[in-house]
């Protein structure tokens, strides 16, 4: 049995439900058909009594002297003569005599069990176009309360959500809208989906208190335009409906989950954040339906995007709400624009992966980026640009030749993570995306660093580096690019092969890994995995201190010579030297090579001295 | 989505009790009553030896509990603010109490009074016509049931006898008079209520109950005629006079509920659900 709840809270919850939309439900229940039980009948079963009564009361003219059945009747007793007379009269009664029949419907009703009676004569009594929806709302609410007794009946957030929907029902689905009857039915379904998703979200965050008004505004803003935009013709409706129904739960659930986790950050502000959030979700759904986004994004992909967007609304509502008072405008296009980007993205980014990149982009750009934006800049556009750059970078670096190339190296989760790693740098150095390079052109550093790292990945045919290794390398690359604008990679869009970073990574990778094959183990050959990763990251860090030199091919040739020398030392002294020594030597010698632009082979005694410091 | 009460009635009632949603409680209790009523109907024993037919003890207990719960729920509601809901509970309470047919201290008539008080105060014959009218009729029907059960007991012939003992004359005559009186009450209530905006099926149901009471009167008259010492035709109480008065009544009832078959065949068809049953239905 559920946990007892205080009576006052239960009553409050019930009253809230009543005042909001429960009146409709009350009307439905009170007026619902009810059975009219039957009174007790004492029937006659003895044929003699049946016949006696029938002919004495109903058909005396048939047994009167001279009448057709008089021969069977005892006139003085007013009863059948004997048993044979009873049999004859009973047969005549049931077979020959046709008494007037009641109306067919009455006859049927009387013959069956108790009659069911509605409250009102047809045409009389109140009616509501929302009664079915009201039942649905209460049904869901009751199921929620039953499953979540700790939600304190209906006075918790779940109750507010239910009551909020019920209270604004006629606003969410106005009865004067075109196609009301059809949209009402769809609206009922959508409300059910949204309520369930929202209640699930709230049941995980029952201790936070959300603001009722903001919640209602979110619901109305989110649902009403979606329902109103349902197409008229069946063919279009068919796809539209399945998309919206598939994505509404995840979209609203994600949004409400964020709102429930951050009520103080979300509600109670001067800005109508509830409405803004609703506008975003609505745009997701209508855009999804118009562009068949459900064919590209799974519900969890939509969830991820909505979650990120709503988080941004919570933390920086000014990004979504422009103006004030009557001129307030909700910037709701960010997700629509992002959706378009995802839809047009190459494999594997056309889908949930693209959504993850977009989510990371939103999170990365919600704070510091804002301060750097021009007045004319739209945050939507900045986010979309960031997503574009990451995807384009991968395309330029690795996907152009083989769209499956990236997945040969990284799992989807790792791709997602690498995207996030790049974008994390953007969060700290948003000028990588926001910045302009002379005129209005936006810097392409983000694209270029992704392209450089990706092109290096493409060269790792023997998979000497794991996905996790590449993530570390990507992080270091992004960090150094962020610190050194226009150095390791160009500010304008460039061919990856032309970037200093790309050249460096390729040189190091191809030199260090030369001769090594996938999964092969050779004595003295340590240039793979964590060791190779360290070599790569060391190279990036060292190069960023000597950018001018690192940019030169001649210097990179010297780095190549250095690597080959260390490889040989390790290979020739496999029993004495390990990866530890390899890295130590590289760390000690690389800066000088970059500084001088030349590698001078150490003497044996210099080598010995160097190794003493390991 | 269909709000299917029958599936999870216990869970729903528990939820309702937690949430305090009285509307939901009415819906749940109503559904429970209908379930129990069907159970009672379905389990009515075929009478073989003239034993009175009452609901089983467990069914009686359930119906009594429903009546109690509904009454308490009604009492907790404000008539000023929740008249329709309160009267809905009252209707349910009297129906359940009537069908429970408690032998001792039957509260049905008291509950009817409570319901009628609420209906008259709130003007609810026009706001909840069915509920208020059902409350109005229940007293008469409950009384019919009590008389019917008594008639069933008295209609058991002593072993070896073909006629009822003379002391049953007064009993059967009293029963006949009572049934006739119930019919007169139904006629009065119906005449006063015909203009109410209640669903047509209500009048079909009342017509059916009227026929049941009428048939009981006919049966009482037949048993009267089967009793030793039935007066001869010189006597005012002769069976023929009963017959004549039944025909008069037929005419009056036909005027109120046309299309109903006030004949013995009509009574037999009413009992036709279990044509060979000797039990009251």
């Amino acid at each position: 049995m559920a946990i007892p709840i205080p009576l006052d809270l239960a009553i409050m919850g019930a009253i809230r439900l009543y005042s909001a939309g429960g009146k409709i439900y009350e009307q439905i229940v009170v007026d619902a058909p009810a059975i009219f039980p039957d009174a007790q009948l004492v029937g006659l079963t003895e044929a003699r009594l049946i016949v006696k009564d029938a002919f004495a009361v109903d058909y005396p003219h048939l047994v009167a002297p001279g009448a057709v059945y008089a021969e069977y009747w005892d006139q003085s007793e007013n009863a059948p003569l004997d048993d044979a007379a009873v049999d004859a009269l009973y047969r005549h009664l049931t077979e020959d005599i046709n008494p007037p029949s009641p109306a067919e419907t009455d006859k049927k009703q009387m013959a069956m069990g108790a009659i069911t009676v509605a409250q009102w004569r047809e045409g009389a009594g109140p009616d509501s176009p929302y009664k079915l929806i009201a039942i649905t709302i209460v049904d869901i609410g009751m199921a929620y309360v039953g499953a979540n007794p700790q939600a304190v009946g209906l006075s918790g957030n779940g109750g507010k959500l239910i009551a909020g929907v019920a209270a604004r029902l006629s606003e969410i689905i106005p009865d004067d809208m075109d196609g009301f009857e059809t949209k009402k039915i769809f609206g009922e379904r959508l409300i059910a989906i949204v309520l369930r998703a929202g209640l699930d979200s709230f049941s995980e965050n029952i201790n936070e208190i959300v603001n009722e008004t903001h919640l209602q505004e979110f619901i109305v803003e989110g649902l009403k335009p979606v329902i109103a935009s349902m197409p008229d013709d069946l063919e279009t409706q068919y796809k539209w409906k399945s998309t919206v129904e598939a994505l509404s739960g995840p979209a609203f659930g994600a949004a409400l989950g964020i709102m429930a986790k951050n009520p103080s950050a979300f509600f109670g502000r001067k800005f109508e954040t509830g409405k803004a959030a609703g506008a975003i979700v609505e745009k997701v759904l209508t855009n999804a339906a118009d562009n068949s986004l459900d064919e590209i994004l799974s519900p969890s992909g939509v969830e991820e995007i909505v979650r990120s967007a709503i988080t941004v609304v919570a933390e920086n509502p000014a990004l979504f709400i422009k103006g004030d008072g009557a001129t307030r405008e909700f910037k709701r296009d960010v997700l629509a624009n992002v959706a378009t980007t995802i839809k047009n993205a190459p494999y594997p980014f056309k889908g949930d992966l693209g959504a993850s990149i977009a989510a990371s982009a939103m999170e990365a750009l919600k704070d510091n980026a804002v301060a750097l934006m021009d007045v004319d800049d739209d945050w939507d556009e900045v986010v979309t640009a960031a997503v574009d750059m990451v995807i384009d970078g991968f395309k330029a670096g690795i996907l152009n030749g083989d769209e499956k190339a990236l997945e040969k190296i990284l799992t989807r989760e790792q791709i997602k993570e690498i995207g996030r790693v790049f974008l994390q740098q953007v969060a700290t150095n948003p000028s990588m995306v926001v910045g302009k390079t002379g005129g209005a052109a936006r810097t392409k550093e983000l694209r270029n660093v992704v392209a450089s790292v990706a092109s290096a990945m493409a060269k790792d045919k023997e998979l000497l580096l794991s996905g996790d290794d590449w993530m570390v390398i990507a992080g270091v690359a992004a960090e150094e690019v962020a610190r050194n604008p226009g150095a390791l990679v160009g500010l304008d869009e460039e061919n990856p092969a032309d970037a200093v970073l790309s050249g460096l990574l390729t040189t190091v990778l191809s030199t260090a890994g030369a001769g090594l094959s996938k999964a092969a183990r050779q004595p003295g050959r340590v240039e793979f995995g964590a060791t190779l990763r360290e070599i790569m990251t060391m190279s990036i860090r060292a190069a960023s201190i000597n950018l001018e030199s690192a940019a030169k091919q001649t210097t990179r040739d010297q780095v190549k010579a250095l690597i080959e020398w260390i490889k040989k030392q390790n290979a020739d002294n496999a029993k004495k030297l390990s990866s530890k020594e390899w890295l130590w030597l590289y760390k000690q010698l690389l800066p000088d090579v970059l500084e001088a632009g030349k590698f001078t082979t150490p003497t044996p005694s210099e080598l010995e001295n160097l190794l003493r410091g390991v | 989505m269909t709000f299917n009460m029958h599936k999870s009635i216990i869970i729903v009632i528990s939820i309702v009790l937690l949430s305090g949603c009285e509307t939901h409680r009415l819906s749940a209790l109503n559904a429970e009553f209908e379930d129990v009523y069907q159970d009672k109907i379905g389990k009515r024993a075929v009478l073989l030896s003239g034993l009175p037919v009452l609901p089983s003890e467990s069914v009686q207990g359930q119906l009594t509990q429903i009546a109690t719960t509904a009454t308490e729920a009604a009492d907790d509601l404000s008539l000023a603010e929740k008249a329709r809901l309160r009267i809905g509970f009252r209707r349910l309470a009297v129906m359940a109490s009537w069908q429970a047919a408690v032998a001792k201290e039957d509260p049905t008539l008291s509950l009817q009074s409570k319901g009628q008080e609420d209906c008259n105060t709130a003007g609810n014959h026009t706001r909840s016509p069915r509920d208020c009218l059902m409350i109005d009729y229940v007293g008469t029907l409950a009384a019919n049931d009590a008389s019917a059960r008594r008639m069933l007991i008295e209609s058991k012939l002593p072993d070896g006898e073909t006629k009822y003992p003379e002391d049953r004359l007064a009993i059967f005559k009293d029963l006949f008079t009572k049934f006739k009186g119930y019919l007169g009450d139904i006629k009065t209530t119906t005449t006063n209520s015909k203009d109410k905006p209640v669903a047509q099926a209500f009048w079909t149901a009342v017509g059916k109950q009227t026929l049941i009471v009428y048939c009981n009167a006919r049966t009482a008259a037949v048993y009267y005629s089967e009793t030793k010492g039935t007066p001869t035709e010189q006597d005012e109480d002769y069976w023929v006079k009963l017959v004549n008065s039944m025909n008069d009544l037929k005419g009056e009832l036909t005027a109120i509920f046309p299309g109903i078959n006030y004949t013995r065949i009509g009574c037999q068809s009413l009992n036709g659900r279990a044509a060979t049953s000797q039990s009251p239905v």
Side-chain angles (χ1 to χ4, degrees):
Chain A
M1 198 64 182
I3 301 163
I5 53 171
L7 183 61
D8 60 337
L9 290 175
I11 291 171
M12 275 165 55
I15 289 171
R16 190 175 289 117
L17 188 63
Y18 274 143
S19 62
K23 282 193 175 59
I24 299 171
Y25 180 56
E26 182 183 303
Q27 175 196 313
I28 292 160
V29 168
V30 168
D31 291 346
I35 58 165
F36 194 134
D38 284 336
Q40 290 220 336
L41 168 73
V42 182
L44 292 176
T45 55
E46 201 189 323
R48 186 180 67 81
L49 296 182
I50 292 169
V51 161
K52 176 182 177 180
D53 176 67
F55 286 95
V57 180
D58 299 326
Y59 314 112
H61 57 287
L62 296 176
V63 293
V68 60
Y69 303 129
E71 66 188 284
Y72 306 116
W73 199 250
D74 182 336
Q75 300 298 331
S76 62
E77 291 294 318
N78 207 14
L81 267 173
D82 51 31
D83 287 348
V86 168
D87 288 344
L89 285 171
Y90 191 85
R91 199 174 53 251
H92 288 304
L93 182 66
T94 54
E95 291 172 16
D96 301 331
I97 295 170
N98 293 311
S101 307
E104 206 52 43
T105 45
D106 282 354
K107 198 172 170 183
K108 270 192 205 140
Q109 284 183 307
M110 288 198 184
M112 298 174 68
I115 294 172
T116 303
V117 183
Q119 184 76 254
W120 296 95
R121 185 173 60 221
E122 198 175 316
D127 197 5
S128 168
Y130 300 108
K131 59 186 177 193
L132 288 178
I133 304 175
I135 290 176
T136 299
I137 293 173
V138 175
D139 186 18
I140 293 171
M142 288 302 150
Y144 167 72
V145 167
N148 296 281
Q150 72 276 19
V152 197
L154 291 166
S155 61
N157 290 337
K160 290 179 188 175
L161 178 63
I162 296 164
V165 171
R168 310 288 283 269
L169 204 49
S170 59
E171 207 176 322
I172 295 169
I173 317 176
D175 60 6
D176 61 353
M177 75 155 79
D178 286 340
F180 172 68
E181 284 305 320
T182 315
K183 287 176 182 170
K184 182 185 69 175
I185 298 169
F186 170 69
E188 181 197 338
R189 170 93 177 108
L190 201 58
I191 285 169
I193 292 171
V194 166
L195 270 182
R196 286 204 180 90
L199 290 173
D200 276 344
S201 293
F202 279 166
S203 69
E204 294 164 13
N205 299 283
I206 54 169
N207 292 320
E208 302 288 354
I209 308 298
V210 301
N211 176 282
E212 208 164 328
T213 312
H214 284 133
L215 188 56
Q216 288 186 14
E217 285 164 2
F218 166 71
I219 292 289
V220 174
E221 197 69 33
L223 276 178
K224 179 179 172 180
V226 175
I227 295 168
S229 70
M230 180 175 169
D232 292 327
D233 67 288
L234 191 72
E235 202 181 345
T236 323
Q237 216 183 73
Y238 176 74
K239 189 69 186 71
W240 185 95
K241 184 173 162 299
S242 68
T243 302
V244 172
E245 285 180 358
L247 300 183
S248 296
F252 277 92
L256 287 165
I258 297 294
M259 290 158 81
K261 280 194 177 87
N262 305 283
S264 56
F266 211 101
F267 300 116
R269 287 183 182 236
K270 169 177 125 173
F271 303 107
E272 292 178 338
T273 45
K275 268 184 124 168
I280 288 167
V281 174
E282 176 265 319
K283 195 67 183 180
V284 168
L285 294 176
T286 49
N287 186 273
D290 292 340
N291 292 297
S292 304
L293 208 59
D294 61 322
E295 291 168 4
I296 302 162
L297 290 181
S298 73
S300 61
V302 168
E303 243 180 75
E304 194 171 358
I305 284 197
V306 170
R307 203 176 287 128
S308 294
I310 303 300
T311 303
V312 176
V313 172
E315 295 181 19
N316 205 336
L319 291 174
F320 286 88
I321 306 169
K322 303 291 182 200
D324 211 343
T327 60
R328 186 180 296 109
E329 184 202 338
F330 298 120
K331 305 282 290 177
R332 58 185 81 189
D333 290 325
V334 60
L335 294 185
N337 294 338
V338 156
T340 306
T341 302
I342 293 168
K343 196 175 176 191
N344 296 328
Y347 181 88
F349 294 102
K350 190 202 290 283
D352 284 359
L353 202 44
S356 293
I357 302 293
S360 298
M362 278 191 271
E363 279 163 42
L365 290 164
K366 69 180 186 302
D367 294 317
N368 298 333
V370 181
L372 295 178
M373 279 163 49
D374 286 344
V375 170
D376 301 324
D377 273 338
D378 264 341
W379 188 76
D380 319 358
E381 197 257 314
V382 171
V383 168
T384 311
V387 176
D388 264 332
M389 282 196 241
V390 170
I391 294 175
D392 198 42
F394 277 113
K395 184 176 166 191
I398 192 170
L399 294 175
N400 265 339
D402 174 9
E403 68 171 17
K404 300 274 168 78
L406 194 53
E407 283 174 301
K408 289 176 184 166
I409 305 167
L410 303 174
T411 64
R412 288 205 158 221
E413 204 48 46
Q414 287 171 334
I415 297 172
K416 211 192 313 190
E417 195 50 35
I418 278 203
R420 199 183 61 79
V421 163
F422 282 121
L423 287 161
Q424 260 178 337
Q425 281 308 314
V426 172
T428 319
N429 297 280
S431 55
M432 286 174 73
V433 172
V434 176
K436 302 269 175 66
T437 62
R442 209 175 283 287
T443 169
K444 293 286 196 281
E445 283 171 287
L446 177 60
R447 176 222 179 255
N448 291 338
V449 66
V450 174
S452 287
V453 173
S455 72
M457 283 187 203
K459 304 279 188 321
D460 184 15
K461 302 282 188 219
E462 297 302 325
L463 301 180
L464 300 176
L465 290 162
S466 72
D468 289 338
D469 292 330
W470 280 112
M471 268 195 276
V472 173
I473 294 167
V476 171
E479 199 183 315
E480 293 301 336
V481 163
R483 280 193 201 140
N484 303 284
L488 288 169
V489 298
L491 298 180
D492 298 317
E493 187 169 309
E494 65 187 357
N495 189 325
D498 297 334
V500 172
L501 177 63
S502 171
L504 182 66
L505 291 176
T506 305
T507 299
V508 170
L509 178 64
S510 56
T511 310
L516 270 177
S517 58
K518 202 183 323 195
R521 308 277 292 168
Q522 299 175 33
R525 291 302 309 272
V526 301
E527 303 84 11
F528 61 91
T531 307
L532 182 55
R533 181 187 74 216
E534 284 299 309
I535 297 169
M536 301 276 274
T537 56
M538 268 192 227
S539 304
I540 298 170
R541 295 240 189 255
S544 65
I545 301 173
N546 285 287
L547 286 162
E548 198 181 334
S549 177
K552 295 177 186 163
Q553 183 59 49
T554 48
T555 306
R556 292 205 286 270
D557 290 341
Q558 296 301 301
V559 171
K560 187 174 169 183
L562 166 63
I563 293 171
E564 280 171 347
W565 179 78
I566 299 176
K567 271 170 67 175
K568 189 170 185 313
Q569 301 312 307
N570 253 62
D572 292 346
N573 300 281
K575 289 188 170 34
K576 279 174 65 179
L577 301 181
S578 68
S579 68
K580 192 176 168 189
E581 286 76 23
W582 207 115
L583 291 170
W584 173 254
L585 287 173
Y586 193 65
K587 188 178 175 184
Q588 299 306 305
L589 294 171
L590 180 61
D592 292 338
V593 171
L594 288 173
E595 175 87 38
K598 186 177 167 43
F599 169 59
T600 306
T601 309
T603 62
S605 63
E606 283 171 337
L607 174 61
E608 204 174 312
N609 278 340
L610 279 169
L611 289 173
R612 270 199 204 105
V614 174
Chain B
M1 181 173 179
T2 306
F3 191 70
N4 187 341
M5 289 306 308
H6 295 273
K7 259 192 194 163
S8 54
I9 195 93
I10 303 303
I11 297 169
V12 167
I13 289 177
S14 306
I15 291 169
V16 161
L17 291 172
L18 279 180
S19 73
C21 179
E22 294 302 333
T23 306
H24 206 80
R25 184 190 279 198
L26 175 60
S27 182
L29 267 181
N30 209 53
E32 190 188 348
F33 170 66
E34 294 190 8
D35 280 347
V36 173
Y37 180 77
Q38 297 303 339
D39 187 50
K40 179 188 172 208
I41 294 272
K43 287 189 177 164
R44 272 188 165 144
V46 172
L47 181 66
L48 296 174
S49 57
L51 291 172
V53 175
L54 285 169
S56 67
E57 240 182 76
S58 72
V59 171
Q60 236 179 6
Q62 285 177 281
L63 290 170
T64 303
Q65 183 55 51
I66 290 170
T68 305
T69 306
T71 302
E72 286 169 0
D75 289 343
D76 285 342
L77 289 168
S78 154
L79 186 62
E81 289 168 22
K82 291 288 177 188
R84 300 194 75 223
L85 198 55
R86 177 164 151 145
I87 285 166
F89 278 115
R90 294 276 185 235
R91 184 260 308 159
L92 186 55
V94 297
M95 290 293 133
S97 176
W98 164 33
Q99 293 299 309
V102 169
K104 280 200 177 135
E105 297 179 28
D106 189 329
T108 304
L109 295 183
S110 310
L111 293 176
Q112 181 190 35
S113 296
K114 277 191 160 201
Q116 285 174 318
E117 177 65 32
D118 282 354
C119 281
N120 293 338
T121 307
N124 263 53
H125 279 82
T126 46
R127 285 169 61 195
S128 293
R130 178 206 57 206
D131 290 347
C132 288
L133 287 173
M134 280 175 89
I135 291 169
D136 283 343
Y137 280 94
V138 77
T140 308
L141 300 177
N144 166 81
D145 287 10
S147 299
R149 283 190 289 273
R150 185 158 67 98
M151 183 157 69
L152 212 49
I153 292 169
E154 300 297 345
S155 67
K156 187 174 181 331
L157 271 170
D159 290 339
E161 295 288 335
T162 56
K163 287 244 179 192
Y164 295 105
E166 204 165 334
D167 60 359
R168 305 241 181 133
L169 265 178
I171 294 169
F172 288 130
K173 185 155 180 231
D174 178 57
L175 283 166
F176 174 77
T177 306
K178 284 212 157 62
F179 286 124
K180 255 191 87 172
Y182 303 145
L183 286 169
D185 293 340
I186 289 175
K187 187 178 133 193
T188 304
T189 308
T190 303
T191 305
N192 293 340
S193 308
K194 268 292 198 179
D195 61 333
K196 300 293 182 290
V198 71
Q200 183 53 42
F202 179 79
W203 298 119
T204 306
V206 173
K208 185 181 180 186
Q209 309 316 308
T210 307
L211 182 59
I212 289 171
V213 178
Y214 170 82
C215 295
N216 287 342
R218 286 278 289 256
T219 302
V222 169
Y223 287 145
Y224 178 80
S225 76
E226 291 288 306
T227 308
K228 287 178 190 170
T230 305
T232 61
E233 67 181 87
Q234 285 79 28
D235 195 297
E236 284 181 7
D237 290 336
Y238 185 52
W239 152 237
V240 172
K241 297 246 174 8
L242 287 179
V243 167
N244 289 339
S245 69
M246 288 305 298
N247 284 327
D248 291 339
L249 191 55
K250 238 197 285 190
E252 290 172 39
L253 293 173
T254 304
I256 299 169
F257 295 106
I260 292 180
N261 184 5
Y262 295 106
T263 66
R264 176 46 58 183
I265 290 290
C267 293
Q268 291 308 109
S269 68
L270 195 63
N271 199 29
R273 278 174 280 142
T276 57
S277 169
Q278 296 169 308
S279 69
V281 181

